[in-house]
Amino acid sequence: MPAISTSKSAALLCLLSLRLVAAHEHHDDNIPEGHAISPDPIDGILWIHIFTQIVAFGLIFPMGMVLGIVRSRWHVPLQTVGVILSVAGYFLGHAHKGRQFAPNIHATFATSLLIMLAVQVVFGVYLKFHLEKGIHFRLRRYTVIGHGIIGKLMPVVSWVQMLFGGITAMGFCHKDHLGQCLAHFIMGSAFIGYGIVLTILLLVGQLWLRRTGRSQEFFDSLLIAAWGCVNTFTEHRWGEKWSNNDFQHTSMGIVWWCAGLLGIWLSRTRDGRPKRNLMPAIVILITGWAMSAHPQHLMISTMVHTVFGYTLMAAGAARIIEISFVLRDKNAVDKRHAEENNSFQYLTPFLLYASGFLFMGATEEQMALLADIGVSHVAYILVIYSIAFLLFLFVCMLLQLYANHAWPIEPRNSIALKKNDGENGKLRNGNGTAIGPNGHARDRDRRIRDAEQFELEGLMSEEEAEGASN
């Protein structure tokens, strides 16, 4: 009952916020003509808005998503705190003084995000009532699916909104700068997303990858080929004169889909078994080399792009070394224990995080601002790398949170180190269940399957729980 009451309170807060959206008026009388923001500084209220929304959408909601996947009892309380903070932050964003903003994408997208959050809260409240008779039996099933989909989309949508917020706060990406901003933020986010996917597959995704019957390079090459097709036909404005950058970006897109097709072909042996290959890593290395030589107008921009290119080249080279020499074309260091990793395997994901942040932080307006205030490229790049370290840490923490609930490690003092004469000397725990050499019980796969069935703890009836376990 307390969980239901808190969920209802969160739903009321979301609905109240939606009702007040239309009533809010933006003040832009101090904005100079041709600019997107006023010269006033950001006041304390707006800083609190930024901090609360980062905590809610950047920290609490991703943690709540993981707790929901593993059906933890802390999922509902944590998400309720996130909703309360996000709604409070929304009101603070409309109550600030100081800097004024012209109509912008951040304010427009906030309404869509709030509606998405309200729908998610309503789904959660409905599931907490355990209505399962009559039409509710079928409706509940679709509600669970919708609740899971929105929950997993929330971190991605939140990331986009936070980027919009930073762009809006600085007044960037308007008029002639829009296309360049889109290229930097989309491609930078893609590199970060690729790094996150590699981290997931490295730490908790090997069993899933094994069940697909495909090598990791099959999926990598498929995405690279699709992305290359998009870049080939969108990097140049057709009907206008070709520039040097147009040639370079379009040719890079061609390389991507050509290498992607080759990577797909090489991802299987003649008898259909999955096979590792180096094509995605080579594409990353070539892309880094091309971006390191990208012509720039400012010296600081040239240096940042050069370091970005070298970082991306290092990511590709590290991936080649990992597949060829560390793993020797295998999916994991130890096939029996897929969660065992070599320390070198963490290098490629981190370099992709750093590459993404460097590229997003290298737009023309950002570089001009840094040049005007006298910030050196060394200090700026070190800050960017620090942010990459923090994001890598947070992703690893979330994945360990998932792993601890999905297949917890048996305490050492609870394992009886005795051999079973009838099963070739296999170890057993105190209950007589056979365990592996690393102390994991043999029912680990069952716990993994249970954790993959997204549902909140206590939302399933006894009949549904029995059906899911079977």
Side-chain angles (χ1 to χ4, degrees), residues 28-49:
D28 53 6
D29 49 303
N30 290 338
I31 300 177
E33 185 177 354
H35 292 74
I37 60 175
S38 68
D40 305 300
I42 297 177
D43 69 339
I45 295 178
L46 191 55
W47 279 117
I48 297 175
H49 159 79

Side-chain angles (χ1 to χ4, degrees), residues 133-408:
K133 294 183 178 180
I135 192 175
H136 293 290
F137 178 78
R138 178 175 298 179
L139 185 61
R140 178 184 177 81
R141 178 177 302 177
Y142 292 112
T143 303
V144 169
I145 296 174
H147 191 67
I149 292 175
I150 295 178
K152 294 177 179 65
L153 284 177
M154 187 61 71
V156 178
V157 178
S158 300
W159 170 265
V160 174
Q161 177 67 344
M162 286 188 285
L163 291 181
F164 287 159
I167 292 170
T168 300
M170 301 305 298
F172 290 161
C173 302
H174 290 273
K175 298 181 179 178
D176 294 338
H177 299 289
L178 178 60
Q180 197 238 8
C181 273
L182 289 174
H184 275 257
F185 283 101
I186 293 175
M187 183 65 76
S189 297
F191 286 133
I192 295 173
Y194 187 27
I196 292 175
V197 171
L198 290 184
T199 309
I200 293 173
L201 291 175
L202 173 65
L203 298 180
V204 298
Q206 289 300 319
L207 293 175
W208 172 85
L209 191 63
R210 189 180 303 171
R211 287 197 300 269
T212 64
R214 301 278 188 177
S215 70
Q216 185 171 335
E217 282 66 42
F218 170 81
F219 300 101
D220 294 350
S221 300
L222 185 63
L223 291 177
I224 287 173
W227 193 273
C229 290
V230 173
N231 276 12
T232 300
F233 298 103
T234 59
E235 290 296 335
H236 170 69
R237 295 184 179 180
W238 298 98
E240 298 184 4
K241 184 178 179 180
W242 284 76
S243 64
N244 290 334
N245 285 344
D246 288 344
F247 282 118
Q248 184 171 341
H249 293 163
T250 302
S251 61
M252 195 179 302
I254 295 174
V255 168
W256 276 49
W257 65 259
C258 291
L261 292 178
L262 177 59
I264 294 173
W265 180 264
L266 296 178
S267 64
R268 277 187 176 275
T269 60
R270 289 178 60 187
D271 57 358
R273 291 181 293 108
K275 174 69 175 176
R276 306 297 300 268
N277 68 80
L278 304 178
M279 290 305 110
I282 293 175
V283 168
I284 294 175
L285 195 152
I286 292 176
T287 303
W289 167 77
M291 296 307 298
S292 66
H294 203 288
Q296 304 297 322
H297 299 292
L298 298 174
M299 178 57 66
I300 186 174
S301 182
T302 300
M303 298 305 298
V304 172
H305 275 80
T306 299
V307 175
F308 157 69
Y310 289 166
T311 303
L312 200 58
M313 290 171 65
R319 188 65 170 168
I320 292 175
I321 295 173
E322 175 190 342
I323 295 174
S324 300
F325 302 103
V326 177
L327 299 179
R328 298 183 181 275
D329 281 3
K330 296 184 295 184
N331 286 326
V333 176
D334 189 342
K335 290 184 178 181
R336 294 174 301 173
H337 313 302
E339 71 278 4
E340 297 293 335
N341 303 309
N342 187 290
S343 58
F344 190 86
Q345 293 181 268
Y346 292 94
L347 184 57
T348 301
F350 167 72
L351 291 173
L352 287 171
Y353 292 133
S355 300
F357 281 117
L358 283 169
F359 197 54
M360 287 195 298
T363 63
E364 295 173 343
E365 293 169 297
Q366 289 172 303
M367 296 295 96
L369 177 63
L370 293 175
D372 291 341
I373 62 180
V375 175
S376 69
H377 70 278
V378 175
Y380 183 65
I381 290 171
L382 289 177
V383 171
I384 294 295
Y385 265 83
S386 301
I387 297 173
F389 278 120
L390 290 177
L391 179 61
F392 195 17
L393 170 64
F394 184 58
V395 173
C396 290
M397 291 172 62
L398 291 180
L399 293 177
Q400 183 165 326
L401 178 64
Y402 169 81
N404 288 342
H405 285 79
W407 55 89

Side-chain angles (χ1 to χ4, degrees), residues 94-147:
H94 290 292
H96 70 87
K97 305 297 181 182
R99 182 170 298 179
Q100 298 178 359
F101 305 93
N104 55 80
I105 185 63
H106 181 65
T108 303
F109 195 68
T111 303
S112 302
L113 183 60
L114 200 62
I115 293 174
M116 183 177 175
L117 183 61
V119 171
Q120 180 73 338
V121 172
V122 170
F123 280 167
V125 173
Y126 172 79
L127 293 174
K128 268 297 181 182
F129 280 114
H130 300 281
L131 302 175
E132 41 192 59
K133 294 183 178 180
I135 192 175
H136 293 290
F137 178 78
R138 178 175 298 179
L139 185 61
R140 178 184 177 81
R141 178 177 302 177
Y142 292 112
T143 303
V144 169
I145 296 174
H147 191 67

